């Protein structure tokens, strides 16, 4: 029983990158589709209980201002969000606005770093 608890705790504490690697292994070696693996891991994470609920796991990446290099920021927003050029420009022009909402901490920090490198002012909420 203790081994299963340890295993469950390891599943709950997987990073996004590790979950993706696990999904690839399950698909390639066992024929289990990644969507099913993601549901299983998400279900295990939900069963984690109170400690996980206290720690913030989802973040919003908010573009506060385009900064000096607006064109570079528009292109990057277009690339990161999959929006069309017009929609990406409107998002940047309408700052402060959310670029992405409800993303994992690692992804949010990576997006923030990319946007700041392009010259934008970014905030995580």
């Amino acid at each position: 029983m203790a081994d299963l608890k340890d295993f469950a705790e390891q599943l709950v504490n997987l990073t996004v990158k590790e979950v993706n690697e696990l999904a690839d292994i399950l698909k390639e070696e066992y024929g289990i589709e990644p969507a099913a693996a993601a549901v299983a891991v998400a279900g295990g994470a939900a069963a984690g209980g109170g400690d996980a609920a206290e720690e913030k796991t989802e973040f919003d990446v908010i573009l506060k201002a385009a900064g000096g290099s607006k064109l570079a920021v528009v292109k990057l927003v277009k690339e990161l969000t999959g929006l069309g050029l017009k929609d990406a420009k409107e998002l940047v022009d309408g700052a402060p606005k959310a670029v992405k909402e409800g993303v994992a901490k690692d992804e949010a920090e990576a997006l923030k770093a990319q946007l700041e490198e392009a010259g934008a002012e970014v905030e995580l909420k």
Side-chain angles (χ1 to χ4, degrees), residues 51-122:
D51 292 341
E54 292 175 16
E55 184 178 332
K56 185 170 180 169
T57 58
E58 292 186 346
F59 294 84
D60 295 342
V61 180
I62 309 295
L63 177 70
K64 291 174 68 176
S69 184
K70 181 178 169 183
L71 182 59
V73 173
V74 170
K75 286 181 180 179
L76 184 58
V77 167
K78 177 183 179 287
E79 178 184 320
L80 294 174
T81 61
L83 294 172
L85 185 60
K86 179 182 176 191
D87 293 332
K89 183 181 181 303
E90 288 174 0
L91 189 148
V92 171
D93 287 342
K97 279 204 170 182
V99 175
K100 284 207 174 184
E101 297 177 326
V103 296
K105 183 177 182 178
D106 293 342
E107 183 181 354
E109 288 176 350
L111 292 170
K112 180 180 179 188
Q114 289 177 321
L115 288 164
E116 286 178 340
E117 188 175 309
E121 292 180 39
V122 184

Side-chain angles (χ1 to χ4, degrees), residues 13-70:
N13 292 322
L14 289 176
T15 65
V16 172
K17 182 179 178 184
E18 292 169 333
V19 169
N20 287 331
E21 289 175 15
L22 176 61
D24 290 341
I25 292 168
L26 290 174
K27 181 178 181 183
E28 292 170 8
E29 295 187 20
Y30 300 100
I32 299 172
E33 290 298 318
V39 170
V41 171
D51 292 341
E54 292 175 16
E55 184 178 332
K56 185 170 180 169
T57 58
E58 292 186 346
F59 294 84
D60 295 342
V61 180
I62 309 295
L63 177 70
K64 291 174 68 176
S69 184
K70 181 178 169 183

